[in-house]
Amino acid sequence: HKFEPHIELFIWQNLLAVHSLIIPPHEELDMWLKFVGLCRKGGRIALAQKTIAMLLGKDPASIISNTNNNITPHNAHPRVNFSYIKLMWSAGAKPAAYEKLRLFVRALQDSDDMALLGRTYLKLGEWQRAMRTDTFDDTSIAQIMSSFRSATECE
């Protein structure tokens, strides 16, 4: 049964509020990241930002304004970092998010999490395509195709 997006977010928000009374958020990371994704896709950027900030242990006001090229905190879970980068993109910081994703993909090369690496390559290819404002040349096409090929090799 599908709910309207705002009702689904309300249900998730209440569910997570109850869960967090018993189980710390870092032990239910999948649920929290699903909630962040629902918020992001539903245009509730501030709520997604607040949730990511809680997962990162940061001030909510600081995470989107941080557009330097440092990857998010080293002690953060890689899936939280990936969610943070996607949130930056959705919040309009596309060039900074793209650069963070590019660096993040490189940092994940030695990871055992092939599923996450595949998703990051797929997103990198999508963003490489989206960042092109002019016509595609052989170099940009090769870059995009390389990202998509790397994504399929990780599966």
Side-chain angles (χ1 to χ4, degrees):
H1 186 337
K2 276 290 214 190
F3 294 101
E4 293 292 318
H6 67 281
I7 295 173
E8 189 173 3
L9 280 175
F10 177 75
I11 292 168
W12 271 86
Q13 191 171 16
N14 286 326
L15 177 70
L16 289 170
V18 171
H19 272 252
S20 66
L21 294 173
I22 301 165
I23 302 167
H26 69 274
E27 290 182 21
E28 295 235 297
L29 197 54
D30 290 337
M31 285 183 64
W32 284 99
L33 292 177
K34 173 72 173 170
F35 178 66
V36 169
L38 289 170
C39 292
R40 186 174 42 80
K41 291 173 186 172
R44 302 282 308 271
I45 300 298
L47 186 54
Q49 179 181 348
K50 180 180 173 188
T51 305
I52 283 287
M54 180 265 304
L55 293 172
L56 289 172
K58 293 259 188 198
D59 171 24
S62 72
I63 69 164
I64 294 298
S65 63
N66 176 20
T67 57
N68 64 30
N69 287 334
N70 295 329
I71 296 177
T72 53
H74 296 294
N75 60 347
H77 192 284
R79 290 182 320 200
V80 176
N81 285 340
F82 186 43
S83 188
Y84 164 73
I85 293 167
K86 291 187 294 185
L87 178 58
M88 285 182 64
W89 179 273
S90 295
K94 292 182 178 180
Y98 170 77
E99 185 59 24
K100 281 184 188 272
L101 181 61
R102 197 180 62 71
L103 295 171
F104 185 60
V105 167
R106 194 176 310 151
L108 278 178
Q109 293 301 311
D110 297 327
S111 169
D112 291 332
D113 192 344
M114 295 304 286
L116 178 60
L117 184 59
R119 287 194 309 274
T120 59
Y121 270 121
L122 177 61
K123 192 58 70 180
L124 185 64
E126 291 171 355
W127 289 1
Q128 285 167 330
R129 190 175 59 198
M131 294 288 287
R132 296 299 303 184
T133 56
D134 53 356
T135 60
F136 292 92
D137 58 19
D138 290 343
T139 304
S140 63
I141 291 170
Q143 254 186 343
I144 294 166
M145 294 305 294
S146 175
S147 293
F148 288 144
R149 185 173 27 267
S150 294
T152 61
E153 290 170 356
C154 291
E155 294 299 318

